[in-house]
Amino acid sequence: MSKSTTDDPGPLLGAADIRELAAALGVRPTKQRGQNFVIDANTVRRIVRTAEVRPDDVVVEIGPGLGSLTLGLLEAADRVTAVEIDEVLAAALPSTVAARLPERADRFALVHRDAMHVTELPGPAPTALVANLPYNVAVPVLLHMLATFPTIDRTLVMVQSEVADRLAARPGNKVYGVPSVKANWYAEVKRAGAIGRNVFWPAPNVDSGLVSLVRRDKPIETSASRDEVFAVVDAAFAQRRKTLRAALSGWAGSAAAAEAALVAAGVSPQARGEALTVEEFARIAEHKGPGGTPGIRQSGGAHASGGEQA
């Protein structure tokens, strides 16, 4: 879209529209569900542009709220499916789409459900995920969607800035942890920009960041399953100040068994989890002895954030 038209919200929602809609529905944003509605059309267009949404994309959006981002996505994509847990917001969104983008209304679908429990979506398989994720559930929702819908090739999420840093962190970074490794299992992850507080209503107490995730062309090469790899990751960061020999002793069955697995994987037993790549975690998982039993819960694959999401 040309610069000359970016100040015109067109069918998108501005601050007055958002407040009017909220008042009509009796909606007051709740901290419990992390509701902060985007009230700036230029920010919406920037997100859609940064997400590189294409005319043939089938986009899934989590937590559409009053529809700010939904309308921007519908302008650019072939189809949009929005997943909304809030009953009032879910009921109102189709009417908002029909009123503001009537020519695209048949390209929109709504799923009224908790995103963490969504295992299938109506219509064609999604190719992209774009969402303003509630801060308190951002990491587990993101990992669940990437695990459940392997056709999602590109993802752009807006999350709390601190969470964005953790997702995009590289080994050796002080905030590198469970979210960093698990996201990297699925995708190449990077920060894709910052979002100020004044484009939201109500304005949050923290800054936001955009994170881009492009699914790997080829999965991590390993004979271990995702759950097995994630169990090593969870164990390593549950006691992140300890050496891996100590941190993985419960997972392996003993410190000696952990050391044997680490040596076999080519990883120093004195290293710490924050220094390892996802590929190294996968190698460790391959060398778990037959008698070992994990000392902490396994992640269940996609759902665990390891307590490090924020």
Side-chain angles (χ1 to χ4, degrees), residues 21 25 66 71 89-102 105 108 110:
L21 266 173
L25 296 172
L66 291 166
L71 294 167
L89 295 175
L93 192 53
S95 298
T96 301
V97 170
R100 301 190 75 95
L101 274 177
F108 172 72
L110 178 82

Side-chain angles (χ1 to χ4, degrees), residues 173-228:
N173 188 300
K174 65 180 181 180
V175 298
Y176 181 77
V178 172
S180 325
V181 183
K182 291 184 179 180
N184 201 232
W185 169 267
Y186 299 103
E188 297 294 334
V189 189
K190 67 178 183 179
R191 281 289 298 255
I195 302 289
R197 306 178 188 192
N198 62 343
V199 302
F200 296 97
W201 174 69
N205 296 323
V206 293
D207 293 324
S208 299
L210 298 175
V211 181
S212 165
L213 302 97
V214 178
R215 192 177 291 269
R216 291 176 176 272
D217 290 334
K218 297 180 180 178
I220 301 290
E221 290 187 13
T222 178
S223 59
S225 70
R226 181 188 65 214
D227 284 5
E228 290 169 338

Side-chain angles (χ1 to χ4, degrees), residues 135-159:
Y135 297 156
N136 54 341
V137 296
V139 171
V141 165
L142 173 62
L143 295 176
H144 170 71
M145 294 299 292
L146 289 174
T148 306
F149 300 100
T151 57
I152 293 176
D153 179 58
R154 286 162 292 116
T155 295
L156 186 80
V157 291
M158 179 160 55
V159 294

Side-chain angles (χ1 to χ4, degrees), residues 78-98:
D78 181 51
R79 293 176 181 272
V80 173
T81 299
V83 180
E84 176 57 63
I85 188 174
D86 187 289
E87 184 174 357
V88 174
L89 295 175
L93 192 53
S95 298
T96 301
V97 170

Side-chain angles (χ1 to χ4, degrees), residues 227-287:
D227 284 5
E228 290 169 338
V229 176
F230 282 11
V232 181
V233 176
D234 286 337
F237 287 103
Q239 304 178 77
R240 63 183 298 148
R241 294 185 181 278
K242 292 189 175 184
T243 65
L244 287 170
R245 183 184 190 277
L248 297 182
S249 61
W251 164 82
S254 70
E259 180 167 352
L262 289 160
V263 170
V267 175
S268 168
Q270 301 307 309
R272 289 176 172 78
E274 62 197 35
L276 270 58
T277 64
V278 65
E279 290 85 359
E280 288 171 316
F281 280 112
R283 289 209 306 271
I284 295 168
E286 293 173 0
H287 292 286

Side-chain angles (χ1 to χ4, degrees), residues 7 19 45 65 70 83 99 107 111 128 131 133 203 287 302 306:
D7 290 333
R19 289 186 173 90
R45 290 195 172 110
T70 312
V83 180
R107 297 286 176 164
V111 175
L133 290 178
H287 292 286

